């Protein structure tokens, strides 16, 4: 309720059921599921836009306030969110991989264009028995790298519209 009021007062969304208002809620729900599930150590949240300061469509500070409120509700003090952007991509990627390798529980936000160009952001987990806990899904040689435990994909509306008129949203 608190953040609905903030969205309404500061960003002008309340009661309009805008795509942007709903995106805040979807990201908050994904983060809440990440916090509540101990088995999810790494969560990749892929959005159509980057959170930026003073951007009413996806304000970075508002998201961080929502995340902090959820952490407070679950008595978690440490910030466990990273944003992987095109700016400083390699440095951000290395920082994320290092944190995950060290066993931190981490929620990573990025966008389709940033990670869609064949970027591999797997990591080498340090504290698991690779033979028993890593799931192998193909006939390729085994590797020590691990993909994210969970993923949220924002609806890629701009990608769908660019595919042409003869394709349905479901397709």
């Amino acid at each position: 309720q608190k953040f609905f009021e903030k969205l309404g007062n500061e960003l002008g969304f309340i009661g309009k059921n805008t795509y942007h208002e709903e995106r805040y809620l979807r990201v908050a729900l994904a983060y809440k599921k990440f916090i509540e599930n101990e088995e999810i150590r790494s969560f990749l949240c892929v959005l159509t836009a980057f959170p930026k300061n003073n951007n009413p469509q996806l304000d970075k500070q508002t998201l961080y306030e929502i995340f902090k409120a959820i952490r407070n509700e679950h008595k978690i003090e440490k910030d466990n969110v990273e944003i992987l952007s095109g700016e400083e991509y390699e440095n951000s990627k290395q920082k994320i991989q290092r944190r995950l390798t060290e066993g931190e529980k981490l929620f990573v936000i990025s966008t389709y264009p940033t990670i869609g160009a064949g970027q591999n952001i797997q990591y080498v987990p340090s504290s698991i028995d690779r033979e028993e806990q890593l799931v192998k899904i193909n006939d390729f040689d085994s590797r020590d790298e691990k993909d994210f435990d969970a993923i949220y994909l924002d609806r890629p509306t701009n990608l769908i519209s660019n595919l042409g008129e003869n394709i349905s949203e479901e397709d």
Side-chain angles (χ1 to χ4, degrees):
Q1 185 62 37
K2 174 183 173 184
F3 288 101
F4 257 130
E5 290 172 10
K6 179 179 178 63
L7 290 172
N9 294 333
E10 294 181 21
L11 306 177
F13 288 156
I14 207 70
K16 295 181 181 177
N17 293 323
T18 67
Y19 171 80
H20 306 297
E21 179 183 47
E22 291 170 2
R23 176 170 42 204
Y24 280 101
L25 297 176
R26 289 190 304 268
V27 172
L29 179 59
Y31 184 74
K32 185 171 174 53
K33 295 293 183 183
F34 162 74
I35 291 294
E36 292 175 343
N37 190 328
E38 274 304 311
E39 291 181 5
I40 300 175
R41 304 293 306 160
S42 56
F43 195 118
L44 179 61
C45 178
V46 183
L47 304 176
T48 56
F50 272 113
K52 295 179 183 172
N53 292 326
N54 302 314
N55 177 8
Q57 296 178 354
L58 191 58
D59 182 66
K60 185 177 178 180
Q61 189 60 39
T62 300
L63 272 181
Y64 277 116
E65 288 177 29
I66 293 170
F67 296 154
K68 185 176 181 181
I70 293 169
R71 281 195 310 272
N72 288 344
E73 181 181 317
H74 291 84
K75 298 179 180 24
I76 297 170
E77 292 182 22
K78 187 170 184 171
D79 180 12
N80 54 8
V81 177
E82 288 282 348
I83 296 179
L84 181 60
S85 69
E87 301 170 10
E88 299 288 326
Y89 176 83
E90 278 305 317
N91 290 337
S92 295
K93 176 182 159 185
Q94 289 174 7
K95 180 180 179 185
I96 289 165
Q97 288 173 321
R98 179 184 48 77
R99 287 182 72 181
L100 289 169
T101 296
E102 291 172 355
E104 286 190 51
K105 185 174 167 83
L106 197 60
F107 188 86
V108 177
I109 298 173
S110 194
T111 63
Y112 287 101
T114 301
I115 62 169
Q119 296 293 332
N120 293 321
I121 54 175
Q122 293 89 352
Y123 62 99
V124 179
S126 63
S127 62
I128 66 169
D129 180 346
R130 286 169 179 77
E131 295 298 318
E132 291 184 21
Q133 291 180 300
L134 290 182
V135 176
K136 189 172 179 299
I137 61 169
N138 54 37
D139 293 330
F140 296 139
D141 292 336
S142 293
R143 300 179 312 186
D144 285 339
E145 294 177 329
K146 179 182 180 306
D147 285 313
F148 282 73
D149 296 320
I151 188 168
Y152 167 77
L153 300 174
D154 207 11
R155 181 182 293 176
T157 52
N158 61 327
L159 299 176
I160 293 170
S161 64
N162 289 334
L163 290 175
E165 294 179 23
N166 296 330
I167 192 165
S168 70
E169 187 171 312
E170 182 177 320
D171 289 342

